[in-house]
Amino acid sequence: MNHIQQKLMTAARQDLPDDRVPYAFEKRIMARLKSVTPFDFRLVWERSLWRAAAPCVGITLLLGAWSALMPGGDISSDLSQDLENTVLAAVDVDNSIDSP
Amino acid sequence: MAMEPSDSELIQAVRNGDASSFEPLVRKYSPRIFAMARRYARRESEVEDIAQEVWLKAFQKLGGFRGEAPFEHWLMRLAVRTCYDFLRAHQRNRETTFTELTPEEGEWLDRCGTAPDEAEDSASAARSLVRRVMEQLSPPARLIITLLEIEERSVREIAELTGWSATLVKVRAFRARAEMRRLIGKLERGKYL
């Protein structure tokens, strides 16, 4: 069987494929290309950003509605004080470590 | 006489929006694309579809061509992958049994069995038998046998062309040879039944 396989492979190697190109093939390709846009990274990036915008807005609205409607356990009324405490929390920790 | 622009000049022009600079590239490399497609597709309409798809993909992906390797290599990679996609898409249409052998094919097989040196490699019967066997191989086996055995490319070259790892190429080559032996066995049994 190996003999036959070798013979067949030799026959296949000798049977070179035709490289003939149909008449005016390149003209047909150029006509087709008019409807095709080349890959443009900036355009793809812009499109994906726009596609991502709607889900982001949706998630923001959902989270906003959830935080507004859920009954809060221990919410203080002074939001500005809460924000300041949160922002300065890291500084407070640093100070407590530095002080002897 | 004006010098013809190089591939990289033409590619740069296409990237800058001059689509007509793509035409010389199509004219220059189409014979290679057609020769490759004819190894995998029999009908001329299918060959033309493959070549057309290769060029459309090349145009669309030209932005991703970094110019590290020659354009021809990049294009051939694209062509091999398109041919493989074609084989996979048409694998349902591939024949699963050998139709009856012609008297010439039977005679060639006989001669191969009894006096192998007398069986001509260039005989048209041998060529049509190869085509029969190739058409029954699975898509990865057909691609590997074509690239490795017929086009005599190295494992490394095949890995680059297909995007498979060298180990995967070797594994697939081993399986492809086994598949081919099985088919030749079937062919021989069919002959003597």
Side-chain angles (χ1 to χ4, degrees):
Chain A
M1 200 194 293
N2 277 345
H3 236 83
I4 300 177
Q5 191 170 346
Q6 275 173 13
K7 284 261 172 200
L8 288 177
M9 285 299 104
T10 314
R13 269 176 229 132
Q14 288 175 358
D15 187 15
L16 294 173
D18 188 358
D19 66 354
R20 194 171 24 89
V21 178
Y23 176 72
F25 174 74
E26 66 274 12
K27 300 283 173 212
R28 263 179 282 160
I29 292 291
M30 294 312 290
R32 282 289 307 270
L33 289 184
K34 280 181 186 151
S35 59
V36 176
T37 47
F39 182 81
D40 183 347
F41 183 75
R42 207 180 53 135
L43 199 74
V44 173
W45 177 244
E46 269 175 29
R47 273 190 202 151
S48 33
L49 281 183
W50 274 114
R51 258 181 230 155
C56 284
V57 169
I59 290 168
T60 311
L61 289 175
L62 274 175
L63 286 176
W66 180 67
S67 61
L69 296 174
M70 286 296 280
D74 185 26
I75 298 173
S76 72
S77 54
D78 194 356
L79 285 173
S80 61
Q81 187 58 50
D82 283 351
L83 179 69
E84 198 172 301
N85 288 344
T86 310
V87 171
L88 297 175
V91 181
D92 287 344
V93 170
D94 282 349
N95 285 342
S96 65
I97 291 169
D98 291 341
S99 59
Chain B
M1 204 172 89
M3 228 170 60
E4 282 192 14
S6 67
D7 288 356
S8 49
E9 283 168 343
L10 291 168
I11 291 163
Q12 200 48 50
V14 178
R15 278 170 164 173
N16 293 338
D18 175 21
S20 64
S21 294
F22 198 64
E23 194 175 332
L25 293 170
V26 178
R27 209 176 306 122
K28 184 174 174 186
Y29 294 110
S30 279
R32 286 207 62 189
I33 304 281
F34 270 85
M36 182 184 279
R38 285 191 180 106
R39 285 206 189 270
Y40 303 97
R42 205 170 11 158
R43 265 182 263 148
E44 208 47 31
S45 61
E46 291 173 337
V47 170
E48 216 170 298
D49 284 348
I50 292 174
Q52 191 167 294
E53 204 180 324
V54 170
W55 283 116
L56 294 183
K57 276 187 194 168
F59 185 74
Q60 281 178 316
K61 294 182 175 183
L62 207 57
F65 172 66
R66 291 194 296 269
E68 289 162 358
F71 174 69
E72 193 180 354
H73 293 188
W74 180 81
L75 187 68
M76 286 303 127
R77 271 204 297 276
L78 208 63
V80 166
R81 288 167 201 187
T82 309
C83 288
Y84 183 55
D85 289 344
F86 167 83
L87 288 177
R88 285 201 303 177
H90 290 77
Q91 65 173 327
R92 281 190 185 172
N93 303 348
R94 99 188 129 99
E95 305 209 351
T96 50
T97 51
F98 288 112
T99 48
E100 213 170 297
L101 299 183
T102 62
E104 292 78 35
E105 289 169 344
E107 201 180 305
W108 189 88
L109 269 181
D110 268 344
R111 214 174 308 143
C112 233
T114 52
D117 295 334
E118 284 176 29
E120 269 182 71
D121 301 328
S122 58
S124 65
R127 290 202 296 267
S128 71
L129 275 171
V130 167
R131 262 177 247 136
R132 276 168 182 268
V133 173
M134 294 300 280
E135 272 168 25
Q136 289 208 21
L137 287 171
S138 63
R142 184 166 179 182
L143 188 74
I144 283 283
I145 294 284
T146 305
L147 296 172
L148 194 70
E149 304 282 353
I150 302 175
E151 293 182 4
E152 296 179 295
R153 291 177 190 268
S154 67
V155 169
R156 207 176 131 205
E157 270 181 289
I158 298 171
E160 273 175 27
L161 280 169
T162 55
W164 301 337
S165 67
T167 316
L168 185 61
V169 171
K170 285 178 195 166
V171 169
R172 286 192 161 162
F174 177 78
R175 287 187 194 149
R177 287 189 185 116
E179 205 178 312
M180 188 139 190
R181 272 197 298 277
R182 209 169 45 243
L183 284 172
I184 292 172
K186 219 162 113 183
L187 198 70
E188 277 190 300
R189 278 196 303 279
K191 167 80 188 87
Y192 295 113
L193 274 177

